[in-house]
Amino acid sequence: MDFISHLNQSFLWASCVWGGIATGYWAYGWKQRSFIPFLGGAAMMVASCMLPALTMSLVCIAVMFGVWWLLKQGY
């Protein structure tokens, strides 16, 4: 898969939005010494750099839901 083919307006905007949210998750996990948000933020950062816009958005939403659910379960 060619990386240059992903560089369009949708990819850049989605990458900025999800990368910003991922940085917040990552920083929160780092400061609170909580592994789940830290790992979720790292996964979202990787997704925001590597996946096309729609797939990136779906993966990031799934990661956010997973972090919320795991924290609600007490992990």
Side-chain angles (χ1 to χ4, degrees):
M1 199 175 244
D2 187 21
F3 178 72
I4 299 298
S5 67
H6 291 298
L7 288 178
N8 58 26
Q9 187 176 4
S10 298
F11 173 79
L12 293 175
W13 277 108
S15 184
C16 285
V17 169
W18 293 117
I21 294 170
T23 303
Y25 268 67
W26 185 80
Y28 174 80
W30 180 266
K31 293 280 187 180
Q32 298 295 318
R33 302 287 189 239
S34 181
F35 184 68
I36 301 296
F38 180 79
L39 188 62
M44 287 172 63
M45 282 185 208
V46 169
S48 70
C49 293
M50 300 293 174
L51 298 175
L54 179 60
T55 310
M56 173 195 327
S57 296
L58 295 175
V59 167
C60 288
I61 290 169
V63 167
M64 287 173 50
F65 178 76
V67 167
W68 171 79
W69 186 78
L70 286 171
L71 290 177
K72 188 175 177 183
Q73 297 298 317
Y75 290 104

